[in-house]
Amino acid sequence: MKITLIVVGKIKESFYRDAVAEYAKRLASYCQLQILEVEDEPTGEGWSEARKQEAMKKEGRRILQKIPKGSYVAALCIKGRQRSSEAMADWLENLTVQGVSHLTLLIGGSLGLADEVVAAANETISFSALTFPHQLMRVILLEQIYRWHRIIKNEPYHK
């Protein structure tokens, strides 16, 4: 399966970049991974809600342009469906059984995902009711994708 992550912004901290590189390396034997970054909009303290929405819409247009045609799209949102790692492994395996050969996962920027992006997704997924920095969420998502593949293959993974 091909898995594409479309993410807002670049990773600035080297420890996050190192973690992303490590999980990308581990995933190479399970899937074809592609990470596409789109430019993030600058945000400021005290911005009005309308200004924040406009920034998210600009980021959203960039995301929508990058979504591969024919891929199954899941957007990461706090209000999305939460599942255990085992249930997510079943979800991934079921997508494959249903003939999905390309999965695209979307991570928004510091303001989240525009409504238009969420509406364009086949479904939304939540990893927690907590809010995570979008750079850390990239690492968490890659670790979970790796874990899902290990579960599917019945391979051991530390808890």
Side-chain angles (χ1 to χ4, degrees), residues 95-113:
L95 285 178
T96 304
V97 169
Q98 294 168 17
V100 172
S101 61
H102 194 167
L103 171 63
T104 299
L105 298 155
L106 311 176
I107 300 175
S110 60
L111 297 173
L113 288 169

Side-chain angles (χ1 to χ4, degrees), residues 45-82:
E45 292 292 321
W47 274 25
S48 69
E49 189 58 33
R51 196 163 176 193
K52 289 178 184 177
Q53 290 297 320
E54 183 56 34
M56 283 195 312
K57 284 183 181 192
K58 287 180 181 178
E59 292 173 348
R61 284 192 290 272
R62 292 180 194 124
I63 290 170
L64 291 171
Q65 290 174 348
K66 297 276 185 182
I67 295 175
K69 292 201 185 329
S71 69
Y72 186 92
V73 180
L76 275 64
C77 304
I78 288 177
K79 295 179 182 176
R81 181 173 175 193
Q82 290 186 22

Side-chain angles (χ1 to χ4, degrees), residues 104-130:
T104 299
L105 298 155
L106 311 176
I107 300 175
S110 60
L111 297 173
L113 288 169
D115 292 340
E116 297 84 357
V117 174
V118 174
N122 295 93
E123 69 176 288
T124 57
I125 297 171
S126 174
F127 276 57
S128 171
L130 300 172

